[in-house]
Amino acid sequence: MATGSLFKDEATEEKGERARMASFIGAMAIADLVKTTLGPKGMDKILQSTGRGHSVTVTNDGATILKSLHIDNPAAKVLVDISKVQDDEVGDGTTSVVVLAGELLREAEKLVNVKIHPMTIISGYRMAAECARNALLEKVVDNKLDAEKFKEDLMKIAMTTLSSKILSQDKEHFAKLAVDAVMRLKGSTNLESIQIIKKPGGALTDSFLDEGFILDKKIGVGQPKRIENAKILVANTAMDTDKVKIYGARVRVDSMAKVAEIEVAEKEKMREKVQKIINHGINCFVNRQLIYNFPEELFADAGVLAIEHADFDGIERLGLVTGGEIASTFDNPESVKLGHCKLIEEIMIGEDKLIHFSGVAMGQACTIVLRGASPHMLDEAERSLHDALCVLSQTVNDSRVLFGGGWPEMVMAKAVDELARKTPGKRSHAIEAFSRALIAIPTTIADNAGLDSAELIAQLRAEHHKEGSTAGIDVISGSVGDMSELGISEAFKVKQAVLLSATEAAEMILRVDEIITCAPRRREDRM
């Protein structure tokens, strides 16, 4: 019986070999796309949107590139998702995870072609992943107890993370900023209280870390420019003159005097509202919405600093940092939680005036101000810094550290190779393939730097057969270098996440033997 009639007209299905081909090709194409961005000498991509304004993004962050692609291939989507998860989970290793998954599938394709069943490959991959993880666990260094050494580790990790990004020229400066910011968090992974403000102008090295909170707003006219021991009310309420705000309402009057009365009533209503707010005993009022001239004048008379139109991120974070809550009704002052800080003043950064809150209730809060030549550069710098902050905040909790520069992959590959030799049966082919896929990461790092990868990897492999070797690829000198001397370190958590996510993604795509594309729903003609 023909199954053609089973699906609607436009639905398509691909079976067996063809489905597997489509998945493999899609996944490998995605891996090759981001492959060139891996490592300290990776190249950037320009992403241009087709929307209004044709906005341009210049980036080499794997997750950012993949997020912006509109992809039709289902297997490629799986890889895009793992890179997103990697970005949310640990912040770094977004490119490595896609490259590794792509290589695992490339190896699996060869095995499937020599008639090894996908399930055999999967069980081999599982054994190999477990073995690789244990090999890393044996080699981790943990300096949690020695504060000095631990801070050095954090600096090294931050510098390694930043060295593949746009900030690599000033990586020491930014690594210090990131480590200081994360040390203030005292072990929480909530990056909400680290605010990043981007101000074009100046050089990247002019960026600095400021203790406290900076709000990107100006202080209104005729209001105090400096307040000590501030009590802050953070609100989201309409402070434009309270006109009759009912849509389509009409007021009919028979003389101008009546209009004047209505206006007076409106002003009175506003004055009452302002009085209610002032009764909270505050000296700073931050509002999400507009504040018109009349209420602003009333606040100025009462000596209250009124800040309007603070963007939502701004006031949410301000509430969080000063310990206040966002209020929208002001009838019972005792139930509103006010924010506190020691000093509010106006500062200048470049050409712009900003408001600076110092001595805030939440001691871990700080603001990183990024300076740079152009908006694109600042966006990319922010992404790079965000990656570094994520990795560091994860490392503070899980303080296990490994060397970088292709060292972990070689350690894992060596252990997996040994396992392959001990394992009988077809699975050993899959395990061997896993070790080849792991070596693809140092190979790619070397290729991107324009080095002879075959020669370097052979040297690395020989080095790693010595006990306790710390050899990795030194991209700067173009040879095999000692990672502990060069201070190239990575967080164990990042490597583990890369290994496990890539293996699981490859496994998921390997299991596919049929792709069914549904027919789009037709719109009925409603005539």
Side-chain angles (χ1 to χ4, degrees):
M1 182 191 146
T3 55
S5 57
L6 190 63
F7 297 117
K8 274 192 175 175
D9 297 344
E10 291 171 25
T12 55
E13 68 166 333
E14 290 176 6
K15 281 194 168 163
E17 277 303 296
R18 289 198 51 192
R20 203 164 280 130
M21 269 298 283
S23 324
F24 284 163
I25 288 171
M28 288 191 286
I30 282 286
D32 289 343
L33 176 78
V34 292
K35 201 183 228 174
T36 50
T37 66
L38 189 70
K41 299 265 177 166
M43 305 306 265
D44 289 10
K45 310 269 185 234
I46 288 186
L47 310 169
Q48 186 172 18
S49 79
T50 49
R52 283 219 324 265
H54 291 282
S55 62
V56 172
T57 314
V58 184
T59 180
N60 74 353
D61 177 37
T64 313
I65 297 168
L66 295 179
K67 247 190 295 207
S68 324
L69 300 178
H70 290 287
I71 295 172
D72 216 17
N73 185 302
K77 282 196 174 130
V78 173
L79 290 197
V80 174
D81 287 343
I82 58 167
S83 94
K84 264 191 207 151
V85 169
Q86 181 77 11
D87 197 31
D88 298 341
E89 242 336 91
V90 284
D92 196 19
T94 49
T95 314
S96 315
V97 73
V98 177
V99 172
L100 183 56
E103 287 300 325
L104 286 171
L105 289 168
R106 185 164 297 161
E107 293 294 338
E109 186 186 23
K110 295 175 195 163
L111 295 175
V112 171
N113 289 342
V114 294
K115 301 284 179 282
I116 294 179
H117 193 276
M119 283 304 157
T120 315
I121 302 176
I122 286 173
S123 81
Y125 275 7
R126 285 227 165 136
M127 286 167 67
E130 189 54 39
C131 164
R133 184 167 170 267
N134 293 337
L136 281 189
L137 275 173
E138 280 168 24
K139 301 264 179 160
V140 290
V141 182
D142 193 342
N143 289 331
K144 182 100 191 196
L145 304 171
D146 183 347
E148 274 303 301
K149 270 203 174 145
F150 185 49
K151 195 162 182 189
E152 266 173 44
D153 280 351
L154 288 181
M155 279 296 285
K156 284 178 188 169
I157 289 174
M159 275 163 37
T160 307
T161 302
L162 293 172
S163 63
S164 60
K165 310 271 195 280
I166 196 168
L167 301 176
S168 59
Q169 305 306 316
D170 318 303
K171 61 184 177 191
E172 291 189 3
H173 180 68
F174 284 100
K176 195 164 174 353
L177 286 189
V179 171
D180 288 349
V182 169
M183 288 304 235
R184 294 177 70 95
L185 291 179
K186 298 185 181 65
S188 90
T189 49
N190 179 13
L191 297 177
E192 284 283 297
S193 51
I194 299 177
Q195 185 197 16
I196 299 181
I197 286 186
K198 298 174 291 199
K199 283 282 166 215
L204 276 170
T205 37
D206 297 343
S207 310
F208 61 91
L209 177 90
D210 195 297
E211 302 177 2
F213 183 84
I214 297 178
L215 194 62
D216 198 349
K217 286 284 157 234
K218 294 186 180 67
I219 290 182
V221 185
Q223 293 182 350
K225 297 277 187 235
R226 179 189 164 99
I227 290 181
E228 291 182 8
N229 294 334
K231 295 193 184 71
I232 307 162
L233 177 62
V234 186
N236 183 4
T237 179
M239 297 296 287
D240 21 9
T241 30
D242 278 349
K243 293 208 164 47
V244 180
K245 282 210 180 156
I246 305 162
Y247 182 65
R250 285 184 178 173
V251 181
R252 291 202 171 167
V253 289
D254 43 19
S255 71
M256 278 308 285
K258 290 275 172 39
V259 176
E261 276 175 30
I262 292 173
E263 281 178 352
V264 166
E266 280 174 358
K267 272 195 158 173
E268 272 310 309
K269 196 170 168 193
M270 194 72 238
R271 186 172 274 136
E272 273 174 32
K273 186 166 186 178
V274 171
Q275 199 47 53
K276 272 184 195 165
I277 291 172
I278 294 172
N279 288 346
H280 286 62
I282 57 171
N283 47 17
C284 172
F285 176 67
V286 183
N287 192 19
R288 162 88 208 285
Q289 301 175 26
L290 274 173
I291 301 179
Y292 268 20
N293 296 3
F294 178 61
E296 191 173 45
E297 191 185 309
L298 295 177
F299 280 128
D301 290 347
V304 171
L305 166 62
I307 303 166
E308 63 176 4
H309 243 230
D311 53 349
F312 199 67
D313 284 353
I315 68 163
E316 283 241 314
R317 213 180 248 133
L318 182 62
L320 176 86
V321 166
T322 56
E325 281 172 6
I326 299 176
S328 40
T329 55
F330 310 102
D331 292 333
N332 32 359
E334 59 281 348
S335 68
V336 175
K337 222 174 134 185
L338 297 181
H340 295 280
C341 81
K342 292 210 176 83
L343 176 66
I344 301 179
E345 58 189 341
E346 197 171 50
I347 56 170
M348 293 277 293
I349 296 178
E351 259 81 280
D352 300 342
K353 292 182 175 175
L354 299 96
I355 304 171
H356 182 230
F357 297 79
S358 51
V360 289
M362 193 164 152
Q364 51 254 59
C366 59
T367 301
I368 296 176
V369 179
L370 291 178
R371 307 299 309 275
S374 70
H376 303 140
M377 195 143 172
L378 285 173
D379 288 344
E380 177 61 0
E382 182 187 21
R383 277 190 289 274
S384 315
L385 199 59
H386 182 259
D387 281 5
L389 290 172
C390 283
V391 176
L392 290 177
S393 66
Q394 296 289 345
T395 315
V396 170
N397 284 348
D398 181 349
S399 56
R400 292 173 291 185
V401 176
L402 299 161
F403 294 115
W407 177 86
E409 284 77 16
M410 295 309 287
V411 168
M412 293 193 277
K414 183 182 165 196
V416 172
D417 257 345
E418 280 164 12
L419 176 71
R421 292 200 194 103
K422 292 177 206 156
T423 311
K426 280 185 182 173
R427 276 188 306 191
S428 62
H429 293 297
I431 297 174
E432 214 172 318
F434 194 92
S435 122
R436 284 199 296 275
L438 282 171
I439 291 180
I441 287 188
T443 311
T444 310
I445 292 177
D447 282 341
N448 287 346
L451 305 171
D452 179 357
S453 58
E455 170 71 17
L456 272 176
I457 298 301
Q459 284 181 11
L460 253 187
R461 195 177 243 162
E463 280 291 320
H464 272 268
H465 270 284
K466 300 173 190 164
E467 219 25 67
S469 162
T470 55
I473 294 177
D474 177 7
V475 187
I476 311 302
S477 71
S479 59
V480 171
D482 183 344
M483 295 292 116
S484 65
E485 277 175 28
L486 293 167
I488 298 177
S489 300
E490 297 189 51
F492 169 71
K493 193 155 183 187
V494 175
K495 278 290 162 218
Q496 173 178 292
V498 166
L499 180 71
L500 302 180
S501 312
T503 314
E504 280 169 16
E507 195 178 298
M508 195 160 143
I509 295 170
L510 263 176
R511 282 173 186 268
V512 173
D513 74 331
E514 185 165 356
I515 299 174
I516 301 175
T517 316
C518 299
R521 270 181 57 197
R522 294 261 177 87
R523 289 195 179 144
E524 291 98 17
D525 292 334
R526 294 209 178 90
M527 289 300 286

